[in-house]
Amino acid sequence: MSGTTVVTGLGVTAPNGLGTDEYWTATLAGCGGIGPVTRFDASPYPATLAGEVPGFVADDYLPNRLLPQTDHMTRLALVAADWAIADARVETAGYSEFDMGVMTASSSGGFEFGQNELRRLWSKGSKYVSAYQSFAWFYAVNTGQISIRNGMRGPSGVLVSDQAGGLDAVAQARRQIRKGSKLIVSGGIDGSICPWGWAAQLASGRMSQSADPDRAFLPFDPAASGHVPGEGGALLVLEDAAAASERGAPVYGGIAGYAATFDPRPGSPDAPAEDSGREPPLQRAIELALADAGVPASGIDVVFADAAAIPELDAAEAAAITAVFGPYGVPVTAPKTMTGRLYSGGAPLDLAAALLSLRDHVIPPTTNVSPAPGYRLDVVTGPPRPAPPAAAGAALVIARGYGGFNSAMVVTAAGHTAAEDSTEGSKS
């Protein structure tokens, strides 16, 4: 065991691309996947746009026996897991089933499946409700179905959280790799684009009500007015670096550092005042993740921002980034402007984009955005930006969840040496 965790496989299902290559090509071209909702009639609702995964027909990828027992979200997750495992060139038959695990994040579970069964209950009666309702709606269903399909009975679990949960799940997977597990499938695939899920998301007050796909999701822009929700995300295969090298596995890069912090309740005595000398929680998460990775701020080539598109949240994130890196001190990007916010799937998709960015020495753009000068951020807009020749080979991914959850993760390029210590990430 080397103590270093690497990513050997990626499986992506995103609103602007089904599959890793299609997603990455579209992202570098600035092609978005946001449009009017098609999975149900959203016209009576104040928000009518979403990022929906295009061209996905579950029957093309999964056996018929799985279709009656799975939500649309879980079908996406099963296919993404298949692709990630194949991409890592893993033959699961060569492993003990207890050496392989699954660690995912979920913010809602199978909402669409649950809604359909509740409709049958109320309109027809209990005998018309599917027996699969007992688990198809559940938060841990993606973990369970991936585990069953691939014979993975090692350390497994689910992080019930939204955007930040995707990073937290990968951090939990890294812990299990360090404890001796040989392989963990981790990340998140989310989606609740159905009336029940839509009502729940609208309750946050953070959804954009713009009907123009090019003007609906504008983080760090003066016209920012909320996010557009989406479905999909990414699953990653994590392995110990030495074990991956021994079997000749392809390596995208390493999970070098992680930290999580929590915002205090607004107005509470724990909230850091400007003159208190205490760092805001998001800034602290970034600094702890860098320390865990052994990478200085100057060693980060690009920041993949959380990009909430809520003015006060954008301001807080910008303040944290500039406090660590200095004004305009590091390129910042948010390719999620092309997909929408994918909740627990969003941060893993950013991890995939960060690893591909380091591999190809290019920074994907933040589309449609004209950054507000007051944020003092070097937001990458327009065409993709080539990484400088002196790039250090490290990227920072930031994610924040509703309710005050902050997570930050440092990933490094394949072959990059980061001074990973013996800790398992930081939490405060």
Side-chain angles (χ1 to χ4, degrees), residues 44-188:
Y45 297 85
T48 59
L49 299 179
E52 298 178 338
V53 175
F56 179 74
V57 180
D59 309 59
D60 293 343
Y61 304 102
L62 299 172
N64 288 336
R65 64 176 178 79
L66 281 176
L67 302 184
Q69 60 182 276
T70 51
D71 182 78
H72 174 68
M73 168 202 70
T74 301
R75 296 169 186 173
L76 289 171
L78 286 167
V79 172
D82 286 351
W83 288 344
I85 292 167
D87 188 40
R89 303 176 195 165
V90 168
E91 296 290 341
T92 56
Y95 290 78
S96 163
E97 58 188 2
F98 294 103
D99 283 337
M100 302 179 291
V102 185
M103 194 72 63
T104 69
S106 177
S107 69
S108 58
F111 259 36
E112 186 176 34
F113 193 104
Q115 174 180 302
N116 290 337
E117 297 310 312
L118 288 173
R119 182 187 292 118
R120 292 188 179 95
L121 173 66
W122 295 332
S123 63
K124 296 181 178 181
S126 59
K127 67 180 181 179
Y128 292 93
V129 176
S130 168
Y132 297 124
Q133 165 68 1
S134 61
F135 62 80
W137 71 271
F138 193 48
Y139 298 101
V141 66
N142 289 355
T143 290
Q145 289 283 17
I146 294 168
S147 171
I148 293 168
R149 179 167 170 78
N150 295 285
M152 296 176 171
R153 300 179 65 186
S156 299
V158 62
L159 277 294
V160 183
S161 181
D162 58 356
Q163 202 80 15
L167 295 186
D168 299 338
V170 174
Q172 290 279 17
R174 182 176 74 145
R175 292 189 180 102
Q176 296 303 328
I177 295 294
R178 287 177 165 181
K179 290 178 179 179
S181 293
K182 290 187 176 180
L183 183 151
I184 304 287
V185 173
S186 188

Side-chain angles (χ1 to χ4, degrees), residues 257-331:
Y258 160 79
T261 60
F262 305 92
D263 293 340
R265 178 174 53 84
S268 72
D270 294 326
E274 290 186 8
D275 59 352
S276 69
R278 285 182 290 169
E279 299 166 341
L282 181 57
Q283 177 185 339
R284 181 162 174 76
I286 295 171
E287 293 173 341
L288 288 170
L290 294 175
D292 184 42
V295 174
S298 60
I300 295 296
D301 301 317
V302 58
V303 172
F304 283 74
D306 176 73
I310 299 292
E312 58 269 28
L313 296 177
D314 285 352
E317 184 172 23
I321 293 171
T322 56
V324 175
F325 299 98
Y328 306 101
V330 65

Side-chain angles (χ1 to χ4, degrees), residues 170-369:
V170 174
Q172 290 279 17
R174 182 176 74 145
R175 292 189 180 102
Q176 296 303 328
I177 295 294
R178 287 177 165 181
K179 290 178 179 179
S181 293
K182 290 187 176 180
L183 183 151
I184 304 287
V185 173
S186 188
I189 301 287
D190 216 339
S192 52
I193 301 178
C194 62
W196 188 15
W198 212 245
Q201 294 172 70
L202 282 166
S204 72
R206 295 182 178 180
M207 283 174 61
S208 171
Q209 298 184 19
S210 172
D212 182 353
D214 292 335
R215 302 301 298 164
F217 187 17
L218 302 171
F220 306 116
D221 189 293
S225 60
H227 70 266
V228 174
E231 64 181 10
L235 291 174
L236 298 75
V237 174
L238 274 61
E239 301 182 64
D240 176 74
S245 176
E246 183 178 349
R247 72 176 187 87
V251 174
Y252 285 95
I255 305 298
Y258 160 79
T261 60
F262 305 92
D263 293 340
R265 178 174 53 84
S268 72
D270 294 326
E274 290 186 8
D275 59 352
S276 69
R278 285 182 290 169
E279 299 166 341
L282 181 57
Q283 177 185 339
R284 181 162 174 76
I286 295 171
E287 293 173 341
L288 288 170
L290 294 175
D292 184 42
V295 174
S298 60
I300 295 296
D301 301 317
V302 58
V303 172
F304 283 74
D306 176 73
I310 299 292
E312 58 269 28
L313 296 177
D314 285 352
E317 184 172 23
I321 293 171
T322 56
V324 175
F325 299 98
Y328 306 101
V330 65
V332 176
T333 189
K336 58 173 63 71
T337 55
M338 293 174 253
T339 64
R341 258 178 110 75
L342 309 187
Y343 301 104
S344 67
L349 187 60
D350 276 349
L351 284 178
L355 290 165
L356 295 168
S357 178
L358 295 173
R359 181 195 69 181
D360 295 344
H361 308 288
V362 63
I363 300 173
T366 306
T367 56
N368 305 317
V369 167

